[in-house]
Amino acid sequence: MSSAIFIQSSFPSKPLNKSPNTHFVPSSKLPVSLSFKPRTAFRKRFSVRAGLIEPDGGKLVDLHVAEPERELKKREAASLPRVKLTRIDLQWVHVLSEGWASPLTGFMREPEFLQTLHFNSLRLDDGSFVNMSVPIVLAIDDSQKERIGESNKVTLVDSDDNPVAILTDIEIYKHPKEERIARTWGTTAPGLPYVEETITNAGNWLIGGDLEVIEPIKYHDGLDRFRLSPVELRQEFDRRNADAVFAFQLRNPVHNGHALLMTDTRRRLLEMGYKNPILLLHPLGGYTKADDVLLSWRMKQHEKVLEDGVLDPETTVVSIFPSPMHYAGPTEVQWHAKARINAGANFYIVGRDPAGMGHPIEKRDLYDADHGKKVLSMAPGLERLNILPFRVAAYDQTQGKMAFFDPSRAQDFLFISGTKMRTLAKNKENPPNGFMCPGGWKVLVEYYDSLTPSDNGRIHEAVPA
């Protein structure tokens, strides 16, 4: 794909912080205000300045073992008690290892877990706060806890028993499943996809500690070149001389309404005085629920969007965000925004019902459609991030294209829902001209045509190898 430069070099790991009283890389002093007054996007008093936003805590963590030390770590790993990781656990190792959750240096111990659940933020050693809204934890069962015994280290292995990482200075504590579910999702209703996949049948204990990841996580699915780490993304933004980065997360195909929003955002940033704002088009690449479009097909569709000129490859970086998806609405969207700060984004586009889903047992949305953007504007630890709310786009039947909705002539606009879009694609019918680029729509039709009845209930996720 012509839209991104892909960097293949590895980055030497930084020394891990071994302080027994903290789980964080020591932070640089950053002024953090805990004002809860909502922030308004595009305030006229913004001062335009060059340079990327600093990561949370002042620097990115890199939890990879330096290459010369890997064989030694593998020998050490062979001597330690083992904990087998699920596919989603491995995705979280990937997230942590590259610094998306900076300044976290591993799976959460109990203090970080409780702060995340109850405050959606973490207090650093210098008294400042960073946002952290979803627990990044590792569950173990009674038998695993017993095997670990008094060891202060464990080896994390994949499904084939290959060592992935060593977890050091460990702490084992109770896994309060009901409390975790209630506070993360705001409900304990049955049918929450991430809960059923990762929590319901998980062990009754959580194990936290500092991670030493033996080798970078790779998936060997043809998409690894798109999985740019925060370090690599920042290098790419610097290479392009970006003076602003605006991030757009998605887990769906891109239609022309999305493209309108992204191109209009760039126009507005240029009007504010920025010289070269760069779009980070950042599809989520970890676990998603079974009825979401597979990542490989989404990436094909995004490629066509750039090939057809709907988005400009010169001002767009396409990369995969490795996080699993919770579908936890206003709670989760804070995590999505926080991770993009660490990747260098200082503007974040947020739309209707971000990270939301339908209620699992009632015929309604699980979350208020406007709460996500309102929460982002007030969330502690996200004060440095500028929130860009969606403008509503719909199909303008008078112009034959996607346009911003004009309530004074509402009768001219057609709203094409995700359900309607999927139905058209499944039936191999075309949407109105101008709704999606032809190449992108063709990919979507081919995707639904490729599905068989046996695909029902399939878990759509990449498998690290």
Side-chain angles (χ1 to χ4, degrees), residues 61-76:
V61 304
D62 180 352
L63 306 183
H64 296 105
V65 173
E67 191 166 0
E69 301 172 12
R70 288 176 186 170
E71 288 306 316
L72 183 64
K73 284 296 176 184
K74 288 179 182 179
R75 290 196 293 272
E76 179 185 359

Side-chain angles (χ1 to χ4, degrees), residues 42 246 256-272 277 279 310-311 349 388-392 404:
F42 291 108
F246 57 108
N256 288 354
H258 296 138
L260 173 66
L261 174 70
M262 290 181 268
T263 54
D264 186 69
T265 297
R266 189 171 196 276
R267 177 191 62 78
R268 295 164 71 193
L269 289 171
L270 289 169
E271 288 179 353
M272 287 171 55
L279 166 65
V310 178
L311 294 173
I349 301 174
L388 309 177
F390 264 31
R391 295 175 65 188
V392 178
F404 291 120

Side-chain angles (χ1 to χ4, degrees), residues 173-232:
Y173 55 102
K174 289 281 185 70
H175 185 184
K177 295 181 183 180
E178 184 177 21
E179 180 182 1
R180 178 184 173 189
I181 296 165
R183 296 200 67 88
T184 303
W185 282 270
T187 181
T188 56
L192 298 168
Y194 188 90
V195 170
E196 292 193 343
E197 185 63 29
T198 67
I199 301 178
T200 302
N201 297 317
N204 293 322
W205 304 93
L206 298 175
I207 180 170
D210 295 318
L211 271 174
E212 298 176 337
V213 180
I214 296 171
E215 293 182 353
I217 304 297
K218 299 296 180 185
Y219 298 75
H220 305 294
D221 58 355
L223 300 176
D224 282 332
R225 70 189 189 279
F226 293 108
R227 294 184 174 95
L228 303 185
S229 70
V231 169
E232 292 170 317

Side-chain angles (χ1 to χ4, degrees), residues 5 14 30 92 203 215 233 236 242 260 267 272 325 331 336 339 360 367-368 395 405 421 435 450 464:
I5 300 297
K14 303 176 179 65
L30 293 174
W92 283 122
E215 293 182 353
L233 283 169
E236 179 61 17
L260 173 66
R267 177 191 62 78
M272 287 171 55
M325 187 76 190
T331 297
H336 294 164
Y367 305 106
D368 185 289
Y395 187 77
F405 178 68
M421 181 178 71
F435 171 73
S450 73

Side-chain angles (χ1 to χ4, degrees), residues 185-189 192 352-353 356-369 371:
W185 282 270
T187 181
T188 56
L192 298 168
R352 179 191 179 279
D353 196 20
M357 59 173 281
H359 195 285
I361 57 176
E362 299 177 17
K363 291 184 177 180
R364 61 178 178 86
D365 288 339
L366 184 55
Y367 305 106
D368 185 289
H371 281 183

